[in-house]
Structure formats: C-alpha cells, structure tokens
Amino acid sequence: MSAALEARLVEIVRADADLMHVLTMARSLNLPDWRIFSGAVYQTVWNALGDHPVGYGRKDYDLGYFDPETSWDAEDVVIRRAAAAFEEPFRSQVEVRNQARVHLWFTDRFGEDYEPLTCTDEALGRFVAPAFAVGIRLECDDRISVAAPFGLEDVFDRVIRPNPNRPRARGWDRAVGSAVARWPEVRVIESA
C-alpha cells in the first residue's frame, strides 16, 4: 500500500468530524478486532476528491468486529451496546456486525457461498470491489490504522472494478448503480 495514499486517506478521515466521532465511539466500545469499513471510508475519500460536502451520500457506518462466539444473542448484546453508546443520528447509521458470523447468513441474504472468516481484515478481501475494501481503526494512541488488501489506488482513482479474487458479486449492478448515481465522476471497469 502506498504510504502517500495512506497518509492522504488519514488526512481526509481526520477532516470528517462525523467519521471521527464514530471512530472515537467505536474505540470506546473496546470490541475485538474492529474496523469501520466500506462506504464510510471510500465515500469519504470520494467526497473530498470531488468537492462534495462532508458526509454527502453516506448511508451508514459499517462497524465490523471479530468474536469467535457466533451466537445471535452474543452479537445482539454488542449491537445493543453500540446503540446505547451513540446518539442519533449515529445510532441509526452505525451497523454493527460480528464478522465471525457472516458465513451463517450470507448465503441466504446474497445467494453466494461464504467461507468462515478468521479475522475482520480478511472480510475486506471478499468485498465486491477493491475500492470498497478499505477499513480503518482509531488506535489507542490516536493513530488511524488502515487495512486495504488491494491498496488504495482504486479509491483515489475513483474506479470501481470487480474483486479479482472472487466471482462477480450477484449484487454488482445494484452496488455500482448506487455508487455512480451519487458520484457520477466514478469510472466503472467491468472486468477485474
């Protein structure tokens, strides 16, 4: 991953007060192996690059964590804890999911097989597009750590291409259409 792009990403994230608030509150939850990822990250970059207002087009903040306890009851306790920690509008926008449980519901929801994960960052490698596969965490020392298995070039080039490590997602057209409707300057490359 390019150190210059990582530094630019961190600068952009720090300039978004709402995203920093979510990162700070997420850190206070002390969840195991957590990250904020996907739209909350790449959309923040696209807004900064396209001179869109901070928060433009952002629907939610995906907060993933990894707990080997895969019962729904255990995840629900965490979801409720997070909801209690956030005030509105964040309470309705922060979506908390235990990445250790994704394989239990993914096939029914998306119609694709999904092998169990071993950590939160592993999930990023399975996202629909490399541009979406970026996660951040506010560390205890206030440093922002970045996980991006495909690098940050697609995010900063505003390119959406299929993940080269998986079959094209069944939800590809919907995901791409939604992104392009909000950020028409995004380029779509149909092959990996």
Side-chain angles (χ1 to χ4, degrees):
M1 177 168 31
S2 161
L5 290 181
E6 183 175 349
R8 179 72 178 120
L9 172 63
V10 169
E11 177 184 323
I12 289 169
V13 167
R14 288 195 185 279
D16 185 324
D18 288 348
L19 182 51
M20 286 303 299
H21 173 71
V22 170
L23 285 165
T24 300
M25 294 304 295
R27 178 177 65 184
S28 76
L29 294 170
N30 200 31
L31 299 175
D33 189 25
W34 70 273
R35 294 255 185 220
I36 298 292
F37 48 61
S38 197
V41 182
Y42 73 82
Q43 293 167 4
T44 299
V45 173
W46 290 353
N47 287 340
L49 296 176
D51 294 322
H52 296 287
V54 171
Y56 168 80
R58 183 167 45 212
K59 294 178 180 176
D60 58 27
Y61 300 86
D62 292 312
L63 170 55
Y65 69 98
F66 193 90
D67 181 350
E69 169 52 65
T70 60
S71 72
W72 161 247
D73 290 339
E75 184 179 45
D76 190 49
V77 166
V78 174
I79 291 169
R80 290 175 188 271
R81 261 183 62 216
F86 286 98
E87 299 287 331
E88 288 297 351
F90 301 104
R91 180 177 296 137
S92 300
Q93 295 172 342
V94 174
E95 294 189 2
V96 182
R97 295 293 177 263
N98 181 2
Q99 300 303 291
R101 293 191 75 249
V102 173
H103 69 281
L104 299 175
W105 52 262
F106 194 91
T107 303
D108 288 342
R109 183 163 179 203
F110 295 107
E112 298 176 36
D113 290 336
Y114 199 92
E115 292 297 316
L117 297 166
T118 61
C119 65
T120 298
D121 287 354
E122 186 180 355
L124 298 171
R126 300 185 189 180
F127 282 19
V128 171
F132 301 168
V134 181
I136 56 176
R137 178 173 48 236
L138 184 62
E139 302 293 350
C140 293
D141 62 1
D142 285 336
R143 179 179 53 86
I144 295 176
S145 64
V146 177
F150 302 101
L152 297 170
E153 289 77 9
D154 279 6
V155 177
F156 280 92
D157 290 342
R158 293 180 275 187
V159 168
I160 302 175
R161 75 180 81 233
N163 181 334
N165 297 334
R166 57 166 285 175
R168 178 179 264 186
R170 291 194 179 166
W172 169 260
D173 291 335
R174 181 179 43 79
V176 169
S178 175
V180 171
R182 289 175 282 161
W183 294 274
E185 63 272 22
V186 168
R187 288 184 304 123
V188 178
I189 298 173
E190 291 293 336
S191 60

